[in-house]
Amino acid sequence: PSNPNGGDGILAIREDPRRGVFVNSNENIVTDFESLMSALFAGEKNRSVASTGMNERSSRSHTIFRITVESRKKSKSKD
């Protein structure tokens, strides 16, 4: 899978006195439902899934999908 850190798909966990514990990640700005779902599906596509003795389809990765919603009044166009 592709990785913003480069390498083999393993994200490096970092710690900063100001930011705390974090990983480098992707951020996408979306403006509609379709682009939101596209970002979600792109992340899902990069996950690793394999079977284990306990579970036939066990996830081998974790995903954090954070959504921040901002709302603004639409401006009226003057024609």
Side-chain angles (χ1 to χ4, degrees), residues 21-61:
V21 177
F22 69 97
V23 295
N24 290 335
S25 60
N26 293 329
E27 179 176 325
N28 297 327
I29 297 173
V30 297
T31 56
D32 56 35
F33 179 75
E34 288 77 22
S35 56
L36 173 75
M37 294 307 292
S38 178
L40 178 63
F41 292 140
E44 179 69 17
K45 189 173 76 173
N46 287 327
R47 295 186 71 202
S48 298
V49 176
S51 64
T52 65
M54 297 292 288
N55 189 341
E56 187 174 303
R57 190 172 182 273
S58 176
S59 174
R60 294 292 186 198
S61 66

Side-chain angles (χ1 to χ4, degrees), residues 3 5 9-16 19-25 62 64:
N3 176 343
N5 296 325
I10 297 172
L11 294 175
I13 298 173
R14 305 190 189 283
E15 187 169 2
D16 179 81
R19 293 174 62 188
V21 177
F22 69 97
V23 295
N24 290 335
S25 60
H62 301 277
I64 298 172

